[in-house]
Amino acid sequence: MKTLKKQGGFTLVEIAIVLVIVGLLLAGVLKGQELIESSRAKNLGKDMDAIAAGMISYTDRFKRTPGDDGPIGTLTARGGAWATVTAAGNNDGILTITQANTFAAGGETVGFFQHLKAAGFITGNPADAGVAALPRSAYNGLISVGPGVTGMTGISVCASQIPGKAARALDTMLDDGVTNSGNFRATLGAVGANTAPGVAVLAATGYIDTNIYTVCKTM
């Protein structure tokens, strides 16, 4: 007589249990990624607000505008971290920065960040010059200041290389959620490029998740 061997394998119940576990793990991973993205957007919003607050505090303390403050001798004479500052403005009361040089470290951009760092209002090395003087965001883009998106008034703080989801979240959190209105506006950018702010994206288009934006908020 032949002896029948019991065939090994998984039962339907065991397979179902495994699939449930895999599903729970995938859901946890996706939820974790969502929380990380939300945290990055909130951190950028805080960084932008910190720069705006730093400008107000600087003006209150020195009665001058960071970046426009000068001449250089007046700055370095303050001692301490000020001794490493290399950029100064003409002290005419106007922060001279154009849209084109917002992320190109032109005009009084470098001085703006050197002065805030030297005064202790934002973190960083006051000796950093050129593009290196500009803070980086959690999205590996640059943060800078300037006139902002076309149609905005006053000085704005801007950030480049922002994914569509994050741009939408920031606009909703800080303003009205519309790309071309209010105190927070967006310009269409490109992957890996620090696109200067320009004409706002049409409101009818809205934010698209797969797009990259330069966003600006009035200070």
Side-chain angles (χ1 to χ4, degrees):
M1 294 179 65
K2 293 183 179 180
T3 302
L4 296 176
K5 294 183 178 179
K6 187 177 181 180
Q7 293 182 343
F10 296 104
T11 66
L12 291 177
V13 173
E14 290 171 332
I15 292 174
I17 292 173
V18 171
L19 291 176
V20 169
I21 293 173
V22 171
L24 291 173
L25 290 173
L26 287 175
V29 170
L30 293 175
K31 185 61 177 179
Q33 291 178 335
E34 183 180 332
L35 290 173
I36 291 172
E37 287 305 311
S38 176
S39 177
R40 292 171 74 186
K42 288 179 180 178
N43 285 339
L44 176 56
K46 289 179 181 178
D47 289 342
M48 296 173 81
D49 285 341
I51 290 171
M55 179 177 176
I56 294 172
S57 297
Y58 187 101
T59 304
D60 183 60
R61 177 186 296 180
F62 298 104
K63 308 306 178 187
R64 297 183 179 195
T65 303
D68 181 59
D69 199 355
I72 191 66
T74 299
L75 303 179
T76 56
R78 292 171 183 167
W82 288 99
T84 64
V85 168
T86 59
N90 57 12
N91 198 30
D92 64 353
I94 301 173
L95 185 60
T96 306
I97 302 172
T98 65
Q99 283 182 316
N101 62 30
T102 299
F103 298 118
E108 294 177 330
T109 309
V110 173
F112 180 90
F113 288 102
Q114 285 192 350
H115 301 173
L116 287 185
K117 292 173 185 177
F121 291 122
I122 62 174
T123 60
N125 184 0
D128 287 341
V131 176
L134 277 56
R136 283 199 171 272
S137 74
Y139 299 96
N140 202 37
L142 297 174
I143 302 176
S144 189
V145 293
V149 174
T150 301
M152 300 180 81
T153 57
I155 301 298
S156 296
V157 57
C158 302
S160 64
Q161 300 188 41
I162 309 302
K165 281 185 178 181
R168 182 189 298 109
L170 281 164
D171 200 334
T172 302
M173 178 172 59
L174 301 174
D175 196 36
D176 58 5
V178 181
T179 60
N180 70 344
S181 69
N183 296 323
F184 188 102
R185 304 188 187 189
T187 296
L188 190 62
V191 176
N194 296 306
T195 306
V199 178
V201 181
L202 293 176
T205 302
Y207 290 101
I208 299 174
D209 290 354
T210 54
N211 283 348
I212 299 295
Y213 298 91
T214 286
V215 298
C216 295
K217 178 181 181 294
T218 302
M219 292 198 285

